Amino acid sequence: MLLRLNDQDRAPLYQQIAAAVRRAVADGELSPGDRLPPARELASSLGVNMHTVLRGYAELEREGLVRMRRSRGVTVSETSAGRARLHVLARHLFDEARRLGMDPDEVVAMVSDLKSKEVGLR
Amino acid sequence: MSGSRAPWTRQAVVRIAVPAVVLAGLVVPAVALSSRLPDPIAIHWGLSAKPNGHAPWWAETALLSLLWCVAWVSLLRGGTHRANWAVANLYGIGGLVLAVQTAILVVNLDRASWRDAPLGAGWIVASFGAAVAAGAIGWALAGPDRPAGAGAAGALPGGSAAVLPSAGLAPGERAVWADGADNRWMLLAVPVGVAIAVVGSSRWAPVVLGVAVLVALVISHVRVVAGPAGVTTTLGLLRWPRWEIPLSEVVAARTTSVAPLAFGGYGMRRRPGLSAVIVRSGEALELELTSGRRFVVTVDGAEQAAGVINDHLAASRSATP
């Protein structure tokens, strides 16, 4: 397993870790069922507090991307690959919008508009 | 062995022909003498030289042959890292099993019953002597240690390659690599092997078997996490023991290929200038440390692991003024 992080990224580290895992799942580098390293070992290899990593893992679990179990540790969940790709795409959307000078709220409005059009078409 | 012969011929003799002869030496005399052996034969003795364990001659011979073949295969599958140690250890095992088989056959020969076959202490001394002598022969036959990943000519010392592996990390990019190695055979083989060895021999057998299972659980599984701060290695399904090596203590990372026999077996190994965690034969990550020691751990994908570590080292060196 390879997680990539960028020094230029100014987001909180736990979010960077979660994003790196999402990217890895979206790229196919991590597959459903794969085990992520235990928080303590990931933390010591990054030189960060264990709770930073746990916070990142907790965010991934909330999204349904991973499952945390005492016996098996942290594993990538079965339904995760597609979800992770969507999350990465959404991230690209916001990054692109920021580059264009567009407000994030405008992006949300754009997506809501699309959603109602989608619903209307059904 | 003349120096003018092609190297592979010598290796073929050392690694294939001689072990095959050992295997024949285990099987052929047993078959040839089987009619003069009692059924079953004595295979286990207590402190008083009186036999306290028995089995059919073919089962005992088959088991010794199987143990020998397992050791032999693990040498063939391993790499060239510390090759002369691997061969010496294998030949030591060969000397031991040949001596054990000889002792068992001789003390059982022409006996009416397995109970009439005492084993004198002299046999035990002779067996260890044979093991040591065979090991020395193996060391002599193996020839000079060829560093891993290098050809016969133009090899660099210490197993180093001319170019260190790199994972292609961009400037400002950091990565965390995680993987490990498993040995499913170990999980099965150690308890089974110990069970066969201790069956019926004493009331401590269940305890010994329990310990064997625990040992197998630990030395059949290793995990490594390598990141910008350092490398963390954990052994066993309980992830203990663990070793943490800060990046500041690493000079370079390389890949190598190991044979467990070169380190004297599986698990945690410590030699002058070398610490190793070996759970299987094959590819391994090798760290050259600032203390001069080397740390070797068997992992899948060692090339990428070494690349990530070297990239982080390069980044930290260019960062410091």
Side-chain angles (χ1 to χ4, degrees):
Chain A
M1 180 211 77
L2 192 68
L3 295 178
R4 293 169 181 264
L5 295 152
N6 204 306
D7 275 349
Q8 319 286 37
D9 199 334
R10 277 188 298 245
L13 196 53
Y14 80 91
Q15 282 184 10
Q16 289 188 47
I17 293 169
V21 174
R22 266 184 234 112
R23 263 196 304 276
V25 175
D27 292 342
E29 164 87 24
L30 276 172
S31 306
D34 284 352
R35 217 175 301 182
L36 295 176
R40 195 201 305 192
E41 282 151 44
L42 184 55
S44 80
S45 73
L46 277 171
V48 303
N49 195 299
M50 185 173 82
H51 295 289
T52 306
V53 175
L54 282 172
R55 213 171 153 194
Y57 281 178
E59 178 166 301
L60 293 168
E61 190 183 35
R62 262 199 308 276
E63 286 168 23
L65 197 66
V66 304
R67 265 201 294 271
M68 290 170 77
R69 285 215 193 89
R70 278 197 66 81
S71 52
R72 296 218 74 223
V74 186
T75 52
V76 177
S77 68
E78 292 300 317
T79 56
S80 53
R83 200 184 213 102
R85 264 196 296 278
L86 279 177
H87 212 290
V88 172
L89 281 172
R91 194 74 205 263
H92 285 326
L93 185 61
F94 279 102
D95 289 342
E96 189 66 24
R98 198 184 317 123
R99 249 193 298 276
L100 290 169
M102 209 159 116
D103 199 82
D105 289 327
E106 288 187 66
V107 178
V108 173
M110 190 189 292
V111 173
S112 292
D113 192 43
L114 276 169
K115 172 190 162 197
S116 45
K117 287 209 177 80
E118 268 274 308
V119 171
L121 281 172
R122 298 252 178 84
Chain B
M1 311 291 153
S2 68
S4 59
R5 237 180 254 196
W8 67 263
T9 309
R10 179 196 186 129
Q11 289 300 312
V13 168
V14 169
R15 287 161 172 264
I16 297 177
V18 172
V21 167
V22 170
L23 182 62
L26 290 174
V27 174
V28 169
V31 171
L33 298 170
S34 59
S35 54
R36 292 167 59 185
L37 297 169
D39 183 22
I41 59 170
I43 61 161
H44 199 270
W45 289 264
L47 288 170
S48 61
K50 272 180 62 68
N52 59 13
H54 58 272
W57 69 268
W58 50 265
E60 171 269 329
T61 301
L63 182 64
L64 268 184
S65 306
L66 182 65
L67 287 173
W68 173 242
C69 287
V70 167
W72 182 12
V73 165
S74 94
L75 174 86
L76 291 177
R77 285 184 36 174
T80 52
H81 190 115
R82 289 163 60 92
N84 46 3
W85 278 107
V87 171
N89 285 335
L90 180 72
Y91 276 37
I93 293 172
L96 188 64
V97 295
L98 273 180
V100 165
Q101 180 73 330
T102 306
I104 289 177
L105 289 177
V106 167
V107 305
N108 277 287
L109 202 60
D110 296 327
R111 302 282 178 181
S113 151
W114 66 274
R115 292 173 221 277
D116 305 325
L119 185 79
W123 280 112
I124 302 187
V125 175
S127 295
F128 281 110
V132 171
I137 293 173
W139 180 273
L141 284 180
D145 191 12
R146 282 181 300 124
L156 296 169
S160 59
V163 176
L164 291 175
S166 166
L169 295 183
E173 200 180 10
R174 291 177 295 162
V176 177
W177 179 95
D179 207 327
D182 290 286
N183 191 334
R184 296 219 180 89
W185 286 114
M186 178 81 66
L187 219 42
L188 192 65
V190 169
V192 167
V194 172
I196 292 173
V198 301
V199 67
S201 64
S202 83
R203 62 182 179 277
W204 287 108
V207 175
V208 174
L209 193 56
V211 171
V213 168
L214 284 175
V215 168
L217 283 174
V218 171
I219 68 172
S220 63
H221 175 91
V222 67
R223 283 292 176 271
V224 170
V225 181
V231 181
T232 305
T233 307
T234 57
L235 189 60
L237 297 169
L238 299 170
R239 300 201 311 274
W240 183 89
R242 39 190 285 139
W243 296 264
E244 295 191 12
I245 302 175
L247 199 72
S248 53
E249 286 177 24
V250 181
V251 171
R254 297 179 184 91
T255 57
T256 182
S257 184
V258 302
L261 280 170
F263 299 87
Y266 294 87
M268 306 177 281
R269 299 282 135 188
R270 200 176 169 88
R271 298 267 177 287
L274 172 69
S275 293
V277 183
I278 312 288
V279 306
R280 54 145 175 74
S281 57
E283 68 171 318
L285 172 69
E286 181 190 63
L287 299 179
E288 186 189 330
L289 304 178
T290 53
S291 62
R293 288 187 73 83
R294 282 170 191 268
F295 179 74
V296 176
V297 52
T298 49
V299 290
D300 302 336
E303 180 91 23
Q304 197 179 41
V308 165
I309 296 168
N310 287 328
D311 288 351
H312 286 143
L313 283 169
S316 71
R317 283 187 195 123
S318 64
T320 47

